[in-house]
Amino acid sequence: MSNSGNNSSSKLVFSLIVGIPLLVIAFSSLLYMLANRDVVSLGTVNNGTLIQPPLQIDKLAPIHRNGEPVAFNEIDSLWQFVVIGDGYCEANCEAMLYLTRQTHTALGKKMGRVGRMYLNTDKEFGAQLDQLLIDEHEKLTSAFIDGAAFRASNLPLGDEARGFYVVDPKGWVMMFYQLPDLEQETLTSMGKLVIKDMKRLLR
C-alpha cells in the first residue's frame, strides 16, 4: 500500500516538473502571438520616441497661408503627421513628405482619423515646393510656424531633419520618428513601425 502511494506521488511530482515548464512556454508563445497581432497589449512600448514633456503646438504660433490660426482641440480635429521644414523642403524633407503620405494611405480604414501637415519655418513657400505640394501632396495642409519659437523649443528635430512628429487632436506634439538614412528599406521599415503605433493610438 505504501509503495503504491509513493509511486503515485512520484508520478505526480514528475508530471509537475515536466508539465509546468511546457505550460509556461505554451502560454508565452500564445501571448507573443497575440501581442504581435495587436490582440493584446504588453504595455505602452512605442516605436516612436515620446517627447518629454510634450509641447503644445500653439507655442509655435501655427498659421494657415491665408493668415488664419491653425486650430486644434476642435470636435473634428485629427491626429496629424507633421513635417517641419523651410520654404524649400529639399532631400530629407521631401522624403518625409513621401513617407508620411505612404504611411497615411497604409492606415486603411483608420486614415480618416489622421491628417498630414507641413509647417514652414520661413516666411514664404518656394515655387518648387509649392509645385511639389500641388503635384504629389494635394491633401496635405501647409502652414507657417514661428521659426524662432521652433528653434527655442524642446523639439528634438531641426527643420530639414530625417524625421517627423505626431501631434494629437488636442494639439500636443507627443512623439517623433527619426531615420538613420533614406534608403527605401529604411523608409519601408519605419512606415510599418509607425502604422503599428498609430493603430494602437487609434483604438
Side-chain angles (χ1 to χ4, degrees):
M1 223 22 216
S2 120
N3 283 342
S4 175
N6 287 339
N7 286 339
S8 296
S9 296
S10 298
K11 287 179 181 178
L12 178 60
V13 171
F14 178 76
S15 297
L16 290 173
I17 290 171
V18 173
I20 289 175
L22 291 176
L23 285 172
V24 171
I25 291 169
F27 179 74
S28 299
S29 299
L30 177 63
L31 191 60
Y32 175 80
M33 181 185 73
L34 293 175
N36 202 40
R37 294 181 181 179
D38 282 334
V39 176
V40 298
S41 173
L42 297 180
T44 55
V45 177
N46 298 298
N47 296 299
T49 303
L50 294 176
I51 295 172
Q52 298 290 354
L55 177 78
Q56 248 299 331
I57 202 164
D58 285 350
K59 294 187 180 299
L60 304 182
I63 57 169
H64 289 290
R65 296 173 74 167
N66 64 4
E68 294 290 326
V70 177
F72 280 85
N73 204 19
E74 305 284 335
I75 293 176
D76 57 350
S77 292
L78 305 176
W79 290 82
Q80 296 285 342
F81 292 150
V82 176
V83 178
I84 298 179
D86 59 19
Y88 300 96
C89 188
E90 295 175 335
N92 289 340
C93 171
E94 188 172 343
M96 294 306 98
L97 291 180
Y98 165 82
L99 174 59
T100 54
R101 184 189 67 198
Q102 299 303 100
T103 305
H104 180 253
T105 301
L107 286 171
K109 292 179 181 179
K110 296 182 184 290
M111 67 185 291
R113 296 176 59 190
V114 181
R116 297 170 57 235
M117 188 174 291
Y118 181 76
L119 298 179
N120 183 356
T121 58
D122 286 343
K123 300 296 184 185
E124 60 183 23
F125 283 77
Q128 202 167 356
L129 173 56
D130 259 341
Q131 196 60 50
L132 174 70
L133 297 180
I134 291 168
D135 291 344
E136 299 184 24
H137 304 281
E138 60 177 345
K139 294 182 179 179
L140 174 143
T141 298
S142 57
F144 295 99
I145 54 171
D146 184 324
F150 167 65
R151 286 183 283 275
S153 74
N154 68 326
L155 296 181
L157 301 175
D159 54 10
E160 292 300 310
R162 290 192 300 265
F164 66 94
Y165 297 95
V166 174
V167 180
D168 76 8
K170 293 184 178 180
W172 290 103
V173 188
M174 44 87 67
M175 188 169 15
F176 72 96
Y177 297 89
Q178 188 167 22
L179 288 77
D181 57 63
L182 299 179
E183 297 295 327
Q184 186 60 50
E185 185 177 351
T186 304
L187 293 170
T188 301
S189 297
M190 180 59 76
K192 291 178 180 177
L193 295 176
V194 175
I195 291 167
K196 194 168 185 179
D197 281 349
M198 293 306 298
K199 285 185 174 179
R200 186 162 50 239
L201 290 170
L202 295 170
R203 281 178 178 167

